[in-house]
Structure formats: structure tokens, C-alpha cells
């Protein structure tokens, strides 16, 4: 009889060291904030609390970093009660860093011309890569990503699928603020982002 192939889940889990978590927070938030900068300069949108912050930015002129930080505040209780104090602390730091870095990128980078469709697709792909770095170190960017992680860890519903549904609802709500071509590009970008998350953030594949 053939011996069953060993699963990664059969082995012990090796937790990340504290300095690895610190580096992941810095790298992940830098990557996410760069993706945010691409979306902003292209006039595109995304989902999640970042999408809500973009809506507030486009509708009222409030700075993205300020809106992003404030919108995430009410979601911390879910992380505190269901995902642990350590994740709340990491998420709070991650949200603060993205809010800060998103404003700092504008000091160092200004794109003279960027195609909105390219900005929507590539910007969301960059966001997805940054999310994976944060998720794998038990951090998130608050808001809907906390809800998605909670549903995956407690009810087995894939985080990428949950996030995609939420993102599409947020983008539909933003249709009055952007042109139809830009909305289509933003929806395509949301699909790219959540496909990256769904493929790469799975508890049966990554254990650290």
C-alpha cells in the first residue's frame, strides 16, 4: 500500500520572530502604500476600507491617510475579541504606517502620466502582494480584511472570496463618483487583488 504523502499541516508550526514581524510590517505597509499611490494618481478605486477612504478623499477632499486611519477605528473591536490582542496591535501599527507612508510617497514620487486602467490593475496587484506579507505575519489593514480573516479562521470561508464580494459592493456604491470605464477598471483591479489573496493566503499551504 502506498504511503500517504505528508502534509505541511502534519509538521510543527514555527512562529515568526519579533524582528521578522517588524520587518514584515514595514515592508508590507510600504508595498501597500505604494499601490495606494498608483491608484490615487490614476484616479482609480479599490475595495475594503482603502476603497472607502478613496471615496471620502474624492468626495470631500480629505487626505487619504487621515480618512483611512479614522475609518478603521471601529473595526478594532472585532480583532480584539476574536483574533487576539497581538493582531490588534499589529493591525493598528499597519494602518498607521500605511496612512503615513501613503502621504510620504507623494513627497518622493509623482507620476506625470499613468493610464487609469494600468493604475487600477497594477496598483491592486501591488496591494495584494502587500496584503499577503501582512496576513502571513498575523496583521491586516483593519476593516473588511479583519472580517475576512475572522470568517476564514472560524468558519472556513476563504478570505479572498469574502473580500471580493465586499469589494464589489463598495465599488458599486462608488459608481456615482467615477466614470464607467474607470469603474470597470477598478472592478477588474479588485478581482486581481482578491485572486492574489485567495491563491496565496490559505491555512492549508502556509503555516508560519
Amino acid at each position: 500500500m502506498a504511503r500517504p504523502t505528508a502534509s505541511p499541516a502534519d509538521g510543527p508550526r514555527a512562529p515568526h520572530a519579533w524582528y521578522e514581524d517588524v520587518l514584515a510590517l514595514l515592508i508590507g505597509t510600504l508595498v501597500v502604500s505604494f499601490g495606494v499611490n498608483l491608484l490615487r494618481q490614476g484616479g482609480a478605486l479599490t475595495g475594503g476600507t482603502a476603497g472607502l477612504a478613496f471615496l471620502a478623499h474624492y468626495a470631500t477632499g480629505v487626505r487619504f491617510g487621515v480618512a483611512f486611519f479614522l475609518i478603521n477605528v471601529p473595526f478594532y473591536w472585532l480583532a480584539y475579541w476574536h483574533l487576539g490582542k497581538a493582531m490588534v496591535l499589529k493591525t493598528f501599527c499597519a494602518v498607521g504606517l500605511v496612512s503615513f507612508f501613503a502621504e510620504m510617497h507623494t513627497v518622493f514620487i509623482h507620476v506625470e502620466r499613468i493610464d487609469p486602467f494600468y493604475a487600477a490593475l497594477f496598483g491592486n496587484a501591488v496591494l495584494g502582494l502587500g496584503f499577503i506579507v501582512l496576513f502571513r505575519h498575523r496583521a491586516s489593514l483593519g476593516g473588511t480584511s479583519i472580517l475576512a480573516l475572522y470568517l476564514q479562521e472560524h468558519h472556513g470561508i476563504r478570505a479572498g472570496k469574502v473580500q471580493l464580494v465586499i469589494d464589489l459592493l463598495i465599488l458599486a456604491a462608488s459608481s456615482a463618483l467615477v466614470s464607467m470605464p474607470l469603474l470597470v477598471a477598478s472592478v477588474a483591479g479588485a478581482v486581481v487583488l482578491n485572486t492574489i489573496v485567495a491563491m496565496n493566503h490559505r491555512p492549508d499551504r502556509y503555516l508560519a
Side-chain angles (χ1 to χ4, degrees):
M1 181 181 296
R3 178 177 297 179
T5 303
S7 168
D10 296 333
R13 298 183 179 221
H16 291 111
W18 67 268
Y19 57 86
E20 293 176 320
D21 286 339
V22 170
L23 286 174
L25 281 175
L26 290 173
I27 293 171
T29 53
L30 273 171
V31 171
V32 168
S33 59
F34 182 72
V36 165
N37 193 52
L38 288 176
L39 293 172
R40 180 164 50 186
Q41 295 203 32
L45 293 168
T46 188
T49 46
L52 294 175
F54 271 123
L55 287 178
H57 171 67
Y58 292 146
T60 68
V62 65
R63 297 182 73 87
F64 172 86
V66 174
F68 182 67
F69 185 84
L70 293 177
I71 288 171
N72 275 289
V73 171
F75 289 94
Y76 289 128
W77 73 269
L78 178 63
Y80 179 82
W81 289 110
H82 296 286
L83 298 174
K85 295 179 181 179
M87 187 169 187
V88 174
L89 179 60
K90 291 178 183 178
T91 297
F92 183 82
C93 292
V95 170
L97 287 171
V98 168
S99 300
F100 174 73
F101 289 146
E103 301 302 326
M104 289 303 297
H105 279 306
T106 61
V107 176
F108 298 103
I109 301 173
H110 180 72
V111 180
E112 290 294 333
R113 178 189 172 277
I114 184 169
D115 180 78
F117 200 86
Y118 172 85
L121 292 179
F122 189 64
N124 275 287
V126 172
L127 287 178
L129 296 176
F131 286 167
I132 291 300
V133 173
L134 295 174
F135 287 171
R136 288 183 174 180
H137 287 261
R138 297 287 296 166
S140 75
L141 287 177
T144 57
S145 61
I146 289 179
L147 176 61
L149 286 175
Y150 166 76
L151 291 174
Q152 174 166 295
E153 294 190 7
H154 290 81
H155 299 282
I157 304 173
R158 294 274 291 278
K161 294 180 179 179
V162 173
Q163 192 69 55
L164 178 60
V165 172
I166 296 172
D167 289 353
L168 292 177
L169 291 174
I170 292 173
L171 289 172
S174 66
S175 59
L177 295 177
V178 296
S179 65
M180 184 54 65
L182 194 54
L183 181 61
V184 172
S186 298
V187 170
V191 172
V192 169
L193 187 160
N194 288 287
T195 299
I196 291 173
V197 172
M199 288 192 306
N200 293 282
H201 186 64
R202 293 179 56 174
D204 58 333
R205 287 182 177 174
Y206 188 85
L207 304 178

